[in-house]
Amino acid sequence: MQEERTKQQSEVDDNGVLCIRPPRTAGNKEHLQRINYLMQLAVFHTAHNSKDTFQGLSREYASNMDLIQKKTKVALMPTVKRRVCKQCRRIQLPTKTMRSYIENKSKVGRLNPKADVVVYQCRCGGVKRFPVGKDRTYRTYTEIEGNVLDLEGTHGGD
């Protein structure tokens, strides 16, 4: 019995990641679906409603998404967090609601590409910085293949 337990716990792949089967169901599935729907609505209204420069409706959707996430204690994926400005709750779309550029404030300047930082600057003046130069192959946990649980039960349209 104890040998089986250690055998299951010692399954490590070539990258040093412990291989554990994902759970069959996800808790808070309804909350995750609601957050996903609100995100889709916010992005749609931001992208297609060019008359509303304040983007009140899409910002309200993003605010509701954040409130649901906090009340239900659901962890949002980093890609979702990066798309919403923390100051004004505006959805970040390149050239529409934000501008992005690469910054390098090291003493050597552009000669040191490991100090590159991608900067997302919102219309409200809020700034987000993400280091990209240090390890260009870095991916967040959710971007690595096989780490995200499929809520629908389909795998890429099979």
Side-chain angles (χ1 to χ4, degrees):
M1 183 82 165
Q2 197 173 26
E3 292 174 9
E4 290 178 18
R5 230 183 252 166
T6 56
K7 183 181 177 185
Q8 287 178 348
Q9 291 177 353
S10 65
E11 294 181 17
V12 178
D13 66 357
D14 297 335
N15 298 328
V17 178
L18 184 63
C19 299
I20 299 173
R21 295 181 124 184
R24 293 184 186 262
T25 60
N28 297 330
K29 181 177 178 180
E30 292 82 16
H31 299 303
L32 289 170
Q33 289 174 342
R34 186 173 176 199
I35 289 171
N36 182 23
Y37 181 68
L38 288 171
M39 183 66 179
Q40 289 177 14
L41 282 174
V43 170
F44 177 79
H45 282 287
T46 301
H48 296 292
N49 195 359
S50 59
K51 292 180 182 176
D52 185 15
T53 57
F54 186 68
Q55 295 147 348
L57 189 58
S58 64
R59 290 167 74 176
E60 189 64 31
Y61 288 143
S63 180
N64 285 342
M65 182 180 63
D66 187 51
L67 286 173
I68 291 168
Q69 179 259 329
K70 287 178 182 174
K71 284 185 179 181
T72 59
K73 297 181 181 176
V74 173
L76 290 180
M77 294 170 60
T79 54
V80 174
K81 289 181 187 178
R82 290 179 180 181
R83 293 194 71 180
V84 179
C85 177
K86 287 185 180 181
Q87 283 81 23
C88 66
R89 302 277 186 239
R90 195 175 263 133
I91 300 296
Q92 302 295 311
L93 295 178
T95 69
K96 185 142 180 116
T97 59
M98 72 163 201
R99 69 183 192 107
S100 61
Y101 54 93
I102 295 179
E103 182 177 79
N104 190 332
K105 291 188 175 180
S106 68
K107 292 180 181 179
V108 189
R110 294 297 307 158
L111 298 175
N112 185 10
K114 290 191 175 190
D116 285 346
V117 175
V118 173
V119 179
Y120 295 155
Q121 185 173 12
C122 183
R123 276 193 202 165
C124 71
V127 175
K128 289 186 176 185
R129 290 181 169 82
F130 302 103
V132 293
K134 194 169 188 177
D135 184 10
R136 295 200 181 266
T137 61
Y138 174 77
R139 297 195 194 302
T140 60
Y141 178 78
T142 56
E143 292 171 342
I144 298 172
E145 185 69 30
N147 285 346
V148 178
L149 180 64
D150 187 14
L151 294 178
E152 295 296 322
T154 59
H155 299 284
D158 289 303

